[in-house]
Amino acid sequence: MEQRYSKAETLALRRKHIGPSCKVFFAKDPLKIVRAQGQYMFDEKGEKYLDCINNVAHVGHSHPYVIKAATKQMELLNTNSRFLHDNLVQYAQRLTATLPEKLSVCYFVNSGSEANDLALRLARWYHGHQDVITLENAYHGHVTSVIDISPYKFNELGKDSKKEFVHVAPSPDVYRGKYREDHPDPASAYAEEVKKIIEETQKNGRKIAAFIAESMQSCGGQIIPPVGYFQKVAEYVHAAGGVFIADEVQVGFGRVGKHFWAFQLQGEDFVPDIVTMGKPIGNGHPMSCVVTTREIAESFGASGLEYFNTFGGNPVSCAIGLAVLEVIEKEDLQGNATRVGSYLLELLAEQKEKHPLVGDIRGVGLFVGVDLVKDREMRTPATAEALHLIYKLKEHQILLSADGPHRNVLKFKPPMCFSMEDAKHVVETIDALLTEMEEANGMKTENDASTNAQCKRKVTEGSSQPEGANESITHMNGTACRQENGLFSKKCSVPSERIRT
């Protein structure tokens, strides 16, 4: 494919005209991607990269059915959402059919950040309260209102950056958090922390408008809350006159496999008051949505302030949204997420048995985290090792990222067409690279021969999930293994900027 500029010229022009805070992946040697298809991306030389992180292209890059729907509608009409159009109401009807019955009213917007901003407005108007409870390491977007409730961002600005109306609860992380996997009831313990915040807030004369959380924390380190946590938090928040906002921007639309929405992992007895969504909704097209109850929507409508969004829910966006829902169903991408996700977790569990650097494997469906540690007993984050690994994977034409508060968690959030062959290829490459890293440092690799043989099992195209794989949430923490790893010094030159995906 002929390019207007060379890679060097493109990079030079970016540095000249694009804001310096707009970072790129792999800053030492950024990729110039010129096309993509399915789970693969191609650079200007035609080199193919396996995409393990792009949850934006939810049903696969450049999906022909989605492109056809967009093109067909664009040839007819794209206009202001204030005109009547069947696509808007049809999509709202189809989308709400995937949610619990009480979540029936939609507001269409253009990004996940905008969706979370609107969710805060809905919550604050509902009972006239202002304060918001968020989680440690949370990220909810880049507009001012949601940066204020995103510790992942505002903590970078210094200790005095948290606003008075924001209250931060412990992340419900049973591997690194305050209450771990050996606690008899971590869900209740973490919920009690929220209750304490509410009580302290009320003592100070303030009132809670909302509790907001990603249904599974992504930038926070691929954290899956213990079952029952959301129910108990919702009980305390409702009693205080607040609402529960579930942020599904990164984890919705069948990514968890057995459910369409990640909050459903908590059980049928939990239903949020507001759900926000983005990224996957349009397969890369700028589109997002807030869905709430009739009661909250009518309260917002009674404010007398008209809600106006020129292109949220325009005919083209809704045609694309409908196409994405149809592809998820027709191609059984939820089923694929379950089968391939289970297989990926099984292969990674074998690596945990083999490699001391692997401290924890956690995930469900095609949302998986690998927590790398220098010391399994102390759970010391292996930050430099994680960054080194993702750069080495890039050399092998595999795109993966690392995140979490220590930037030591490998993040798997691939397009939903990710295959068993892809999972096998990635894990075999990780296996070889970890072996190389551990041998360079004199670390003992456990179960070497047997695990390697297991990892290299044959997989056929379209095969069912491997024997022993299951649909349950997996959380395999490391056992005691006090081996220090000094492979990388604190002065490691690998770039360490956080880049959200």
Side-chain angles (χ1 to χ4, degrees), residues 55 91 95 98-100 103 105-123 139-141 143 145-146 149-150 210-216 230 243-254 260-263 270-281 287-293 296 307 500:
N55 59 327
Y91 184 58
L95 184 63
T98 68
L99 289 156
L103 293 167
V105 182
C106 300
Y107 295 86
F108 289 105
V109 287
N110 303 295
S111 71
S113 296
E114 193 178 359
N116 283 327
D117 174 80
L118 178 56
L120 289 180
R121 288 179 60 188
L122 290 168
Y139 177 81
H140 296 290
V143 299
S145 63
V146 291
I149 60 167
S150 298
F211 172 92
I212 185 170
E214 287 182 279
S215 299
M216 301 186 296
F230 282 175
V243 301
F244 192 110
I245 303 172
D247 180 341
E248 292 268 339
V249 169
Q250 297 208 52
V251 296
F253 291 88
F260 203 80
W261 303 103
F263 71 77
F270 172 70
V271 180
D273 303 294
I274 300 173
V275 176
T276 61
M277 54 195 78
K279 292 186 189 296
I281 192 171
M287 180 185 188
S288 60
C289 186
V290 179
V291 184
T292 189
T293 65
I296 292 174
Y307 178 72
R500 184 179 188 249

Side-chain angles (χ1 to χ4, degrees), residues 137-156:
N137 312 313
Y139 177 81
H140 296 290
H142 62 79
V143 299
T144 300
S145 63
V146 291
I147 286 178
D148 286 344
I149 60 167
S150 298
Y152 180 86
K153 299 301 289 186
F154 70 64
N155 282 341
E156 296 180 10

Side-chain angles (χ1 to χ4, degrees), residues 308-378:
F308 173 65
N309 191 304
T310 304
F311 276 107
N314 69 75
V316 171
S317 292
C318 289
I320 290 171
L322 281 164
V324 169
L325 290 181
E326 289 170 10
V327 170
I328 292 171
E329 181 179 355
K330 289 179 180 178
E331 298 185 6
D332 187 27
L333 293 183
Q334 272 188 259
N336 189 66
T338 297
R339 293 185 293 272
V340 177
S342 295
Y343 182 57
L344 175 61
L345 286 164
E346 182 180 320
L347 294 180
L348 289 170
E350 292 170 359
Q351 300 309 302
K352 187 182 77 70
E353 292 299 315
K354 181 177 180 180
H355 295 288
L357 276 170
V358 180
D360 187 38
I361 307 294
R362 48 185 176 262
V364 57
L366 286 175
F367 180 88
V368 175
V370 181
D371 197 314
L372 298 184
V373 297
K374 296 179 181 180
D375 182 312
R376 283 190 180 174
E377 184 176 340
M378 301 301 295

Side-chain angles (χ1 to χ4, degrees), residues 174-191:
V174 298
Y175 182 67
R176 293 190 176 280
K178 186 174 183 179
Y179 307 106
R180 300 187 173 183
E181 71 278 357
D182 57 352
H183 191 281
D185 187 1
S188 295
Y190 278 116

Side-chain angles (χ1 to χ4, degrees), residues 435-456:
T435 298
E436 179 183 293
M437 292 165 66
E438 290 165 344
E439 286 178 353
N441 192 49
M443 298 179 76
K444 182 181 178 183
T445 299
E446 302 174 8
N447 303 324
D448 199 342
S450 62
T451 304
N452 195 50
Q454 290 174 7
C455 185
K456 293 184 178 180

